[in-house]
Amino acid sequence: TPAPTPAPPLKVCPKKMGGWPGRIGDGYGGVVAVYGSHFVQKSGFYQIDWPVVTLQGSNRDGTWSLHAGGGNVNGQDGCEAICRSLSGATRKPGWTVPSSDNGYPSDASQLAANCIYKNGASMRADKTDWSSIFASTSKCWNPMSHCQCQGTLPACASES
């Protein structure tokens, strides 16, 4: 009998930023790393609370918090880019976030000074459709309080 197929090697996760854990992305939509206050595996999907992204090879390289438009197409496109970059999966069907005048939690400003959004008109891997600065992280209204992705949260071998 043939030997079983080995499991793919675990990725090394980035060093915590401002105390927040992260995961390495593959560059989909420019997303090369995602940090969050929490990463949680749920039944059939995983959730990243208060995602902060690092973009590279995009029109807005840097580390940013995200405006989610109360779950509108811009928020959907940003969450989709996070999911596809981290695990190749799509956003959880029905994902949305509440509208809110509050920004990100105060400690998120240690990771990213400002929030931006991905222009949802395209809903594709485009790396050049990130907005200019939308607001400061602490005043980012309609923030992305969480992103939910289909499937399994990528595991870490260790933190670098």
Side-chain angles (χ1 to χ4, degrees):
T1 58
T5 304
L10 297 176
K11 293 180 181 178
V12 174
C13 285
K15 185 178 173 107
K16 286 184 177 180
M17 186 188 297
W20 288 29
R23 296 291 191 277
I24 300 292
D26 71 3
Y28 183 99
V31 178
V32 296
V34 180
Y35 297 87
S37 62
H38 299 96
F39 287 76
V40 181
Q41 181 66 53
K42 304 214 176 195
S43 181
F45 70 97
Y46 62 94
Q47 179 169 309
I48 304 147
D49 293 332
W50 300 107
V52 170
V53 298
T54 298
L55 302 177
Q56 202 171 68
S58 75
N59 63 317
R60 291 283 174 259
D61 288 357
T63 301
W64 308 95
S65 58
L66 296 171
H67 168 70
N72 72 9
V73 292
N74 297 329
Q76 292 168 22
D77 200 15
C79 183
E80 185 82 11
I82 288 171
C83 296
R84 289 187 180 265
S85 178
L86 292 183
S87 59
T90 56
R91 187 174 25 90
K92 179 179 180 260
W95 169 87
T96 190
V97 292
S99 295
S100 168
D101 290 336
N102 300 321
Y104 269 64
S106 59
D107 53 344
S109 294
Q110 297 174 46
L111 286 76
N114 296 298
C115 75
I116 61 173
Y117 61 87
K118 196 165 188 331
N119 183 342
S122 67
M123 291 297 266
R124 62 178 191 261
D126 192 345
K127 296 180 181 186
T128 61
D129 63 348
W130 293 93
S131 72
S132 56
I133 292 172
F134 181 76
S136 69
T137 293
S138 62
K139 293 186 178 4
C140 185
W141 52 276
N142 290 340
M144 191 174 291
S145 55
H146 67 273
C147 175
Q148 296 173 328
C149 306
Q150 300 264 65
T152 304
L153 174 66
C156 295
S158 64
E159 289 182 53
S160 59

